[in-house]
Amino acid sequence: MKSVCFYFKIHQPFRLKRYRFFDIGNDHYYYDDFANDEIINRLAEQSYIPMANTLLDMINGSNGEFKCAISISGTAIEQLQLYVPEFIDLLKKLADTKCVEFLSGTYSHSLASLEDPEEFLREVKMHDALIRREFGQKPKVFANTELIYDDDISLLIKSMGFNICLTEGAKHILGWKSPNYVYNSCVAPELKLLLTNKKLGNDITRNFNNPDWDEYPLTAEKYIDWIASLPEEEQIVNIYLPMDTFGTFLPASTGIFDFLKALPHFGKERGVEFTTPSLAAKRLKPVDALNIPFPISDMNEEADVAPWTGNDLQREALGKLYAVGERVNLCVDRRLKQDWEYLQSSDHFYYMATGKNSAGAFSPYDSPFSAFTNYMNVLADFIVRVEEQYPEEIGNEELNSLLLTIRNQASEIESLNKEVKQLKQNILTSDDSTNAPVIVEGETMTETPLLIAEKADVEAPKKRGRKPGTAKKVESKAEKKAEPKKTKAKSTKTAKSK
């Protein structure tokens, strides 16, 4: 039986406001809240919510036979929680069906895998913790930002415990080979590679609503027929699609949601099953190892990383950003760390792309240079804030040593405070014990020593003519016996003198 897995990608960055040179040092808030609110709400209304409901209908209508995967960034989850919490509830319902698998990835959809391995590992860990917390799943399949992958990255992925990775079925890597098999990494043999079928993905995203296309119109029956007619030995078809394609770039009026809803029906007729990536990889064995020495992605025809690192503007911005990464990770300033996450989103660097890689209509800026200028102004203020906490003249190793000393001192202070608290408690316990009943010659006194002292202090003025409050001790039994003798002797002496 032929297997097909649909992947739906959701990502939104925190867009930057227009930030001028004169704002540096004066304004530490960098984001265009109005644009973020407007865009995420529009996408949710037109695409995300209708798409989630469509997937639920496909799962319920097929009695759970339809399965798929979702890749969502941490910054997208944050914005959805803030502006469209009802969509998060829909994602939770999809997770509860057990038919939707959430993938691992970078928290801010960053390029850390190309620039800073340690930051890359931290981002993935942070992302997966959010997925577990929100949707109750521990991600088993890794999908990097824009499916960026190479042999070095595969070692990092394997070091985090992943055995499955999704990446692009790039033609210059595969050559005559088909993307419809499971492969493995040549440097990390235990890491299975699932490759996307670019053609079948483009047939939906680019050609579904293209009347000039030879196969127009595309129907669910025709699409399933293409998959079913693939060579029998080809194991798995992976189709990776941005979720906002459905309802936004392909409006509901095109019939795109009806197309999706019909897929499970025709799949069942033609013996095509829908699966999740982890189920497919568990069942299928790799047919060959792939050697990928240079980074690939799913972004352009060349399937490289030029859309984010292809010109001097992008490389300058990336270099400046990740140069302060170690110091940022040493700090405990929550706001600074949050800005660090948001500034890493790959979108900021894509807006700086030039030539054939240009973002074009996707960019909110007039030109790549405007995008670069605005980002560098923001970054300049961010770096000033970092250096205020951790001066540049102090080396990272020395700074780390100083911070370790400070943390150790804080731990020691905390330990001493606990000891002081315990000693105070012991003193209070000791004071309480003085109020316990005392036993004199086998008899228990009903009054405690402190109460006796207070009583003696009150009665003393009557016997000795003293002021109240001067009695401090409790008289011993011997003193009480001696007191009558002293009084008698004094009376006899007085009589003689008279």
Side-chain angles (χ1 to χ4, degrees):
M1 179 177 284
K2 197 73 63 181
S3 296
V4 59
C5 183
F6 280 95
Y7 304 79
F8 300 102
K9 181 184 78 170
I10 304 172
H11 166 63
Q12 289 299 318
F14 280 86
R15 293 164 184 82
L16 303 176
K17 66 183 181 182
R18 294 298 186 267
Y19 195 88
R20 303 170 302 166
F21 174 80
F22 298 103
D23 292 327
I24 299 173
N26 298 314
D27 182 5
H28 302 320
Y29 191 78
Y30 311 134
Y31 311 105
D32 189 340
D33 291 334
F34 177 80
N36 290 327
D37 186 351
E38 188 275 327
I39 291 172
I40 198 72
N41 272 287
R42 172 165 49 82
L43 288 175
E45 181 182 353
Q46 296 178 355
S47 176
Y48 294 161
I49 292 176
M51 189 60 185
N53 285 324
T54 298
L55 293 177
L56 282 170
D57 289 343
M58 294 167 71
I59 293 168
N60 295 330
S62 64
N63 294 319
E65 291 184 2
F66 177 80
K67 297 177 176 63
C68 65
I70 290 177
S71 173
I72 182 169
S73 67
T75 53
I77 292 175
E78 281 193 39
Q79 289 195 55
L80 291 164
Q81 288 173 330
L82 183 62
Y83 300 115
V84 198
E86 59 269 29
F87 179 66
I88 295 293
D89 293 336
L90 285 173
L91 290 179
K92 290 178 180 179
K93 288 182 180 179
L94 287 170
D96 291 341
T97 65
K98 309 299 182 184
C99 295
V100 176
E101 180 174 7
F102 286 82
L103 306 187
S104 174
T106 55
Y107 188 90
S108 59
H109 206 64
S110 75
L111 302 171
S113 60
L114 300 174
E115 301 291 329
D116 188 340
E118 290 186 6
E119 175 62 21
F120 174 62
L121 299 179
R122 188 197 65 81
E123 277 232 351
V124 174
K125 182 178 180 181
M126 185 177 177
H127 172 272
D128 291 0
L130 180 61
I131 295 296
R132 287 196 299 271
R133 188 165 61 249
E134 290 296 322
F135 309 117
Q137 290 189 16
K138 180 181 180 181
K140 300 176 182 178
V141 180
F142 183 80
N144 199 9
T145 303
E146 304 298 345
L147 304 186
I148 293 172
Y149 175 88
D150 65 14
D151 290 340
D152 291 335
I153 295 173
S154 73
L155 294 174
L156 294 173
I157 296 170
K158 189 67 185 73
S159 71
M160 291 185 284
F162 293 103
N163 293 319
I164 311 166
C165 176
L166 176 70
T167 188
E168 173 71 5
K171 292 181 180 178
H172 69 279
I173 296 297
L174 290 173
W176 56 269
K177 300 174 183 176
S178 168
N180 304 325
Y181 291 94
V182 176
Y183 294 87
N184 67 324
S185 167
C186 67
V187 296
E190 294 180 0
L191 181 65
K192 292 182 178 181
L193 301 178
L194 300 175
L195 307 182
T196 62
N197 189 310
K198 194 78 169 180
K199 179 187 178 302
L200 287 173
N202 287 341
D203 286 340
I204 295 177
T205 58
R206 296 184 181 182
N207 296 322
F208 183 83
N209 198 31
N210 177 16
D212 297 328
W213 182 43
D214 294 340
E215 298 290 343
Y216 183 85
L218 179 62
T219 64
E221 183 178 10
K222 184 188 296 186
Y223 196 74
I224 291 295
D225 282 344
W226 289 345
I227 295 173
S229 62
L230 290 169
E232 185 64 30
E233 63 273 13
E234 296 193 6
Q235 304 166 312
I236 176 72
V237 178
N238 299 292
I239 302 173
Y240 187 72
L241 305 165
M243 185 175 281
D244 54 13
T245 297
F246 304 90
T248 304
F249 301 105
L250 294 175
S253 59
T254 63
I256 187 63
F257 293 112
D258 295 328
F259 167 83
L260 290 174
K261 289 178 181 179
L263 290 175
H265 170 74
F266 289 105
K268 189 172 184 178
E269 281 190 355
R270 294 300 308 273
V272 174
E273 69 167 357
F274 298 88
T275 186
T276 61
S278 60
L279 288 175
K282 183 179 181 179
R283 187 176 71 249
L284 303 172
K285 294 182 179 180
V287 297
D288 196 6
L290 294 180
N291 177 25
I292 307 179
F294 303 105
I296 61 173
S297 76
D298 74 331
M299 197 61 176
N300 53 12
E301 291 299 327
E302 290 76 16
D304 57 18
V305 294
W308 308 278
T309 64
N311 62 42
D312 292 337
L313 301 178
Q314 294 165 314
R315 290 190 289 271
E316 172 73 9
L318 282 166
K320 290 287 186 182
L321 175 67
Y322 284 100
V324 297
E326 188 172 352
R327 290 170 182 262
V328 173
N329 287 324
L330 290 173
C331 82
V332 293
D333 187 325
R334 185 189 62 82
R335 179 69 180 276
L336 200 66
K337 295 179 87 69
Q338 184 183 63
D339 290 336
W340 168 246
E341 297 293 345
Y342 297 168
L343 291 176
Q344 288 188 71
S345 291
S346 61
D347 309 70
H348 304 310
F349 308 98
Y350 181 50
Y351 300 147
M352 304 175 197
T354 54
K356 62 183 179 181
N357 295 315
S358 176
F362 293 101
S363 175
Y365 299 97
D366 298 332
S367 67
F369 185 75
S370 296
F372 172 76
T373 302
N374 197 71
Y375 183 83
M376 293 305 287
N377 286 341
V378 170
L379 187 59
D381 183 80
F382 177 76
I383 292 174
V384 167
R385 291 164 57 204
V386 174
E387 291 180 350
E388 283 177 352
Q389 295 197 31
Y390 306 111
E392 190 174 4
E393 58 268 16
I394 303 177
N396 285 340
E397 292 185 3
E398 182 182 357
L399 181 60
N400 194 30
S401 177
L402 289 172
L403 289 173
L404 181 61
T405 301
I406 291 170
R407 289 176 186 135
N408 288 340
Q409 288 177 342
S411 177
E412 186 175 352
I413 290 171
E414 184 180 358
S415 177
L416 290 172
N417 284 335
K418 288 181 179 179
E419 289 185 23
V420 169
K421 186 177 180 181
Q422 184 61 45
L423 287 172
K424 287 181 177 179
Q425 185 64 35
N426 292 342
I427 292 172
L428 290 174
T429 303
S430 177
D431 288 343
D432 290 342
S433 67
T434 62
N435 289 326
V438 295
I439 299 175
V440 180
E441 292 185 354
E443 297 180 359
T444 302
M445 297 176 62
T446 56
E447 294 179 315
T448 64
L450 289 177
L451 291 176
I452 294 172
E454 291 174 3
K455 184 177 179 181
D457 195 30
V458 173
E459 293 178 351
K462 299 178 182 179
K463 295 181 179 180
R464 302 181 180 88
R466 292 186 297 179
K467 295 179 180 180
T470 57
K472 300 297 180 183
K473 295 183 179 180
V474 180
E475 295 175 348
S476 65
K477 188 174 182 181
E479 288 174 334
K480 287 183 178 181
K481 289 181 178 180
E483 187 175 1
K485 294 180 181 179
K486 288 181 180 179
T487 304
K488 184 178 180 180
K490 184 176 180 180
S491 301
T492 305
K493 186 177 180 180
T494 304
K496 288 181 179 181
S497 62
K498 285 182 182 181

